[in-house]
Amino acid sequence: GAGVSQSPSNKVTEKGKDVELRCDPISGHTALYWYRQRLGQGLEFLIYFQGNSAPDKSGLPSDRFSAERTGESVSTLTIQRTQQEDSAVYLCASSLTGHTEAFFGQGTRLTVV
Amino acid sequence: KNQVEQSPQSLIILEGKNCTLQCNYTVSPFSNLRWYKQDTGRGPVSLTIMTFSENTKSNGRYTATLDADTKQSSLHITASQLSDSASYICVVSADRGSTLGRLYFGRGTQLTVWP
């Protein structure tokens, strides 16, 4: 596609439910990043995928969070047993390996009620 | 550890005033540094890129500086406008040879311009 696409754009879920967020990177982009932005807070690193290498999961806040990416395609971020503190905008960005510009999606606004 | 630190976390200024945002990094080896602007409800978009050999680069009312020796960059906004209200994010690229060109993101500075 023309840009990074994230879905859904908005998600309201009940506490304790599982949610799955999707990111479609720009075709051919080998690097993919997930970040979180809580209201009034800065970017918070979650996970980094680079091609077929083992992802850097060091930013995932708890074992309720997991992410997958098959090859250089779509990535999904799954949050199990959602809590109110999970409410945030989840941003995805992709870039070409060795390229310096990251292209961001519009984000998924998650609200846990 | 490769890190990017931005300051201040948030800033409020009056329309027409100037301001400077700071970015310090420990990413090594360094390739380049970009400043992004994120309007409310949108994804960040690139404003300017600074490579190792560049000290200053301007983009309209935005001027970025880079001191590769001290590993510091600044983004200066002149004659601020209401539309400058946004989050400004500093992103540093590691040299491809070391970490496949991984990008390291700062947390951002939230700028609010009041009329």
Side-chain angles (χ1 to χ4, degrees):
Chain A
V4 178
S5 177
Q6 290 187 245
S7 61
S9 55
N10 281 282
K11 176 72 175 179
V12 180
T13 189
E14 291 182 350
K15 179 181 174 181
K17 299 288 187 182
D18 297 352
V19 295
E20 188 174 278
L21 312 180
R22 176 186 172 107
C23 173
D24 279 276
I26 293 174
S27 179
H29 279 198
T30 52
L32 188 147
Y33 307 79
W34 280 100
Y35 276 79
R36 177 168 75 175
Q37 265 183 326
R38 289 179 166 139
L39 185 63
Q41 304 293 315
L43 283 180
E44 181 183 358
F45 169 73
L46 295 178
I47 189 168
Y48 163 63
F49 293 93
Q50 174 58 57
N52 293 316
S53 302
D56 177 357
K57 303 180 179 180
S58 61
L60 295 178
S62 77
D63 58 7
R64 296 186 296 104
F65 287 73
S66 62
E68 293 185 351
R69 187 187 189 198
T70 304
E72 299 176 0
S73 61
V74 171
S75 176
T76 55
L77 176 68
T78 302
I79 308 173
Q80 296 177 310
R81 305 180 302 282
T82 53
Q83 303 295 314
Q84 288 187 331
E85 62 262 28
D86 299 334
S87 296
V89 174
Y90 289 81
L91 278 172
C92 173
S94 72
S95 70
L96 286 168
T97 300
H99 243 249
T100 62
E101 184 170 5
F103 295 84
F104 287 82
Q106 297 296 310
T108 292
R109 181 175 296 280
L110 175 66
T111 304
V112 182
V113 298
Chain B
K1 183 178 180 181
N2 291 320
Q3 288 184 313
V4 178
E5 300 287 342
Q6 290 188 244
S7 62
Q9 180 177 346
S10 62
L11 180 63
I12 300 174
I13 61 173
L14 294 177
E15 186 178 14
K17 298 296 185 182
N18 304 334
C19 68
T20 300
L21 314 180
Q22 299 289 345
C23 174
N24 297 339
Y25 61 92
T26 59
V27 177
S28 181
F30 171 83
S31 177
N32 58 64
L33 181 150
R34 282 183 186 266
W35 283 93
Y36 286 75
K37 179 185 180 187
Q38 183 184 18
D39 292 313
T40 301
R42 309 289 298 267
V45 293
S46 179
L47 276 177
T48 184
I49 178 173
M50 305 290 292
T51 58
F52 186 87
S53 60
E54 295 174 309
N55 300 118
T56 303
K57 182 175 285 188
S58 292
N59 178 2
R61 294 180 296 102
Y62 299 98
T63 299
T65 66
L66 174 67
D67 186 334
D69 291 331
T70 61
K71 298 186 177 182
Q72 296 179 326
S73 176
S74 66
L75 181 68
H76 186 75
I77 304 175
T78 304
S80 60
Q81 299 177 357
L82 298 180
S83 59
D84 293 331
S85 294
S87 179
Y88 292 83
I89 300 164
C90 175
V91 180
V92 180
S93 174
D95 182 81
R96 178 178 181 173
S98 61
T99 56
L100 296 177
R102 178 172 176 172
L103 304 178
Y104 295 87
F105 297 73
R107 294 179 61 87
T109 292
Q110 181 63 49
L111 174 66
T112 304
V113 180
W114 283 1

